[in-house]
Amino acid sequence: MLPTLHDHLVAAYAESGRPWPPRASTRTTPPPPAAAQQAEHLEHICSWHAGCCNPFFVAPLPERRALVADYGHGTIAVVCLLSGSILHVISLPPHTEPCGSSALRRPLGVARSAASLYVVDGAAACVLQLDLEGRLVRSFGGGGDSGLRACGDDASLPLLAPYGCAFAAAEAGSACGGSERRHSAGAREPLLYVVDSGRHRVVAYSADGRPRFAFGRRGSGAGCLHDPRGVAVHGGTVWVADMCNHRVALFTAEGAPAGAFGRHGSGPGRMQYPAGVAVSRSLLLVSEYVGGRLHVLSLRGDALQLLTPPPAAAPPGAAGAYLCAVGAGGGCALVPDTDGAVHVFAVKRAGPLERPPSPPPPPRCAAAATAARSQEAAGEAAPRAGGSRDERVGRAMQAAGLGDMLACFEPGDLHALMPAVYADAAAHPEVYRHVAAGR
């Protein structure tokens, strides 16, 4: 019978003359800085309840207005930014031409271009394109679409459970290798990025609804997503709120993986089911669904400020609210919650003028390209040891399985880390009871 890890630890401690098990550490994790000590990049201005049933996403508009996606009423409302007073309602009846039976039933995401308004309808699993007067132009992304060229395992399939969307205007750029994702003149065409939570991916469409490419698949490794929700595009980078991986995943505008940051937890830089992501004045804003907090980060993922919207706006008897998808623009940010309140923040200070991290360079030889494709197909970055112990721990925290996690460590790491594990178990016994029960 092989000795267990427990037997090895008991023997190791006995050899060093120390008792087993070790005492739980008395050190505690320092609390996040108080609001007064944090840099005030965002300031809460007001909170209001409009005549909306369930606002999931709110986007600022010019002239102190805002666009509310109300999935409870199945409408898009234009409201006053500071009071929530409804100014105009867009509602599409069933069987509206030219889209057959498409109608606005459960709007979950909204994006605006210079000439169109794009609305993600979660109930119909499609995208509705409207003109700026609210008239229906077309629907796309549903089961009738075809022609989405394969660039992932499930890229040719129609949208299953779409959520957020973001529009990227045309940008100048150099053509690269004859890529079909750029015009021949070298400019990146305008694209609408739609999160398909049901298939754990993001699909890119042209401005008139033609499918272009898709990226992402279920998993926790590089380039993978797990139940993604929100999306933002800025400066050639796509940020995705990777909800069940408790992180923000980064991709290039063409869909290549460009990194990720965040992990599960309640401290600064740690997330609990992020539902929305937005960029404003070189700041990255991330709203948590379960945690109920709004993260203010640099474009590289550095934690700058952590906000909790005030509960005063909730109606009497309302339970603690979760946050929905954050929207930003024009120097303000808006985030609705599950109690029907919309919280308005002013972006007071811009973040550092930096570009997001660049994606890794492409492989230089055929063998490296083959290895990279095999690794990408597995959905995981190859675990490796080396570096400082803190760096190895960081890599292990991102590993998908026990084998990959252990491959990140060197021989002495587990012995040094076990006291911290016991201390954490003593401080959070409820978590370890779930682990022991196999749940």
Side-chain angles (χ1 to χ4, degrees), residues 317-334:
Y322 297 163
L323 293 187
C324 301
V326 60
C332 67
L334 301 99

Side-chain angles (χ1 to χ4, degrees), residues 213-269:
F213 57 92
F215 52 92
R217 60 187 165 275
R218 181 168 182 171
S220 59
C224 294
L225 301 167
H226 189 186
D227 201 8
R229 296 301 173 94
V231 61
V233 185
H234 174 76
T237 298
V238 180
W239 284 269
V240 182
D242 194 359
M243 191 176 195
C244 289
N245 281 328
H246 310 284
R247 68 185 184 184
V248 174
L250 283 69
F251 298 85
T252 67
E254 291 80 19
F261 48 79
R263 54 178 174 166
H264 186 260
S266 57

Side-chain angles (χ1 to χ4, degrees), residues 76-98:
I76 299 293
V78 179
V79 304
C80 174
L81 178 66
L82 297 179
S83 68
S85 302
I86 295 179
L87 306 175
H88 178 61
V89 174
I90 300 173
S91 179
L92 300 178
H95 307 291
T96 302
E97 295 296 340

Side-chain angles (χ1 to χ4, degrees), residues 115-162:
S116 297
L117 188 67
Y118 300 93
V119 183
V120 172
D121 191 333
C126 69
V127 181
L128 303 180
Q129 182 179 359
L130 317 177
D131 63 22
L132 296 185
E133 298 298 322
R135 294 183 291 262
L136 186 62
V137 177
R138 63 174 60 87
S139 70
F140 55 89
D145 281 331
S146 61
L148 185 60
R149 67 185 185 83
C151 47
D153 294 341
D154 56 4
S156 61
L157 299 176
L159 297 173
L160 180 62

Side-chain angles (χ1 to χ4, degrees), residues 53-54 69-77 89-93 103-107 121:
C53 180
N54 295 108
D70 182 2
Y71 74 88
H73 285 154
T75 59
I76 299 293
V89 174
I90 300 173
S91 179
L92 300 178
L104 185 57
R105 290 187 284 168
R106 191 184 180 194
D121 191 333

